[in-house]
């Protein structure tokens, strides 16, 4: 039995590898454009609220309530945040990191919506045995206390 893989058509494989690289670069460029557009929409919403703080426009509601992340990106972000953290962190901290990473400028209502999504992701990860809680915060704002989260040993 051979340990070396030989391809019948090496040019086909190299062409596919080159196309993969090309499409990956294109995807990254579009992700950057989407992030820029998200920031621009956020700035427009803030400008609208400067002139009319009670504005209840359909576009703003659509953006806040229907703003979607790519499938699996929230879970990936939560797990990476917990991996990189030097100590247990809260869902609020993860939410603030998510908003900063996506270039969002959020009010409390938006943070609340995002934190519910982050919390649902955390609950799913707990159910899968990937993360566990480490108690509660001692010094917190008026909305606390918050649960502290860490990666479970051997979880991922």
């Amino acid at each position: 039995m051979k340990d070396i893989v030989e391809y019948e058509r090496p040019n086909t494989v190299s062409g596919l590898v080159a196309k993969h690289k090309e499409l990956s670069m294109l995807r990254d460029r579009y992700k950057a454009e989407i992030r820029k557009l998200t920031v621009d929409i956020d700035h427009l919403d803030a400008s609208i609220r400067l002139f009319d703080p009670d504005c209840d426009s359909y576009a703003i509601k659509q953006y806040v309530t229907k703003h979607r992340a790519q499938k699996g990106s929230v879970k990936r972000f939560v797990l990476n945040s917990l991996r990189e953290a030097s100590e247990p962190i809260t869902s609020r901290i993860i939410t603030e990191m998510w908003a900063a990473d996506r270039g969002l400028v959020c009010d409390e209502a938006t943070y609340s919506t995002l934190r519910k999504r982050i919390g649902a992701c955390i609950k799913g990860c707990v159910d899968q045995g990937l993360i566990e809680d480490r108690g509660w915060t001692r010094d917190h704002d008026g909305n606390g206390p918050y649960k502290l989260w860490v990666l479970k040993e051997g979880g991922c």
Side-chain angles (χ1 to χ4, degrees):
M1 181 178 262
K2 290 183 179 180
D3 289 331
I4 300 172
V5 177
E6 292 184 22
Y7 296 104
E8 188 175 316
R9 298 179 180 183
N11 291 337
T12 303
V13 174
S14 65
L16 292 172
V17 168
K19 189 65 172 180
H20 182 274
K21 182 178 178 183
E22 175 190 341
L23 292 176
S24 294
M25 289 172 44
L26 187 62
R27 180 187 60 197
D28 292 342
R29 189 175 78 217
Y30 283 131
K31 277 184 183 178
E33 287 295 316
I34 289 170
R35 181 174 286 151
K36 181 188 176 306
L37 290 172
T38 302
V39 169
D40 291 346
I41 290 170
D42 222 22
H43 289 184
L44 287 171
D45 289 344
S47 298
I48 290 169
R49 281 192 290 274
L50 278 174
F51 291 101
D52 186 2
D54 300 324
C55 181
D56 197 15
S57 76
Y58 178 74
I60 293 173
K61 278 186 178 178
Q62 281 290 92
Y63 177 70
V64 172
T65 59
K66 302 255 183 184
H67 190 271
R68 295 219 179 250
Q70 291 180 349
K71 184 168 178 66
S73 63
V74 174
K75 183 175 181 179
R76 209 169 14 260
F77 185 84
V78 167
L79 293 174
N80 283 336
S81 298
L82 290 168
R83 267 187 215 104
E84 294 171 2
S86 58
E87 57 187 12
I89 56 177
T90 66
S91 61
R92 176 66 187 216
I93 292 171
I94 295 171
T95 302
E96 290 169 353
M97 291 166 55
W98 173 262
D101 183 65
R102 295 181 64 98
L104 301 173
V105 179
C106 301
D107 57 1
E108 273 308 308
T110 306
Y111 273 127
S112 177
T113 301
L114 292 174
R115 201 169 88 232
K116 287 176 186 175
R117 292 178 183 166
I118 298 288
C121 176
I122 288 172
K123 183 180 181 322
C125 289
V126 168
D127 292 344
Q128 293 175 352
L130 300 175
I131 63 175
E132 61 187 0
D133 71 278
R134 285 286 169 88
W136 297 85
T137 56
R138 297 202 188 283
D139 53 346
H140 45 266
D141 59 16
N143 297 320
Y146 297 103
K147 235 180 200 180
L148 295 164
W149 300 103
V150 295
L151 282 177
K152 194 169 187 176
E153 291 296 320
C156 61

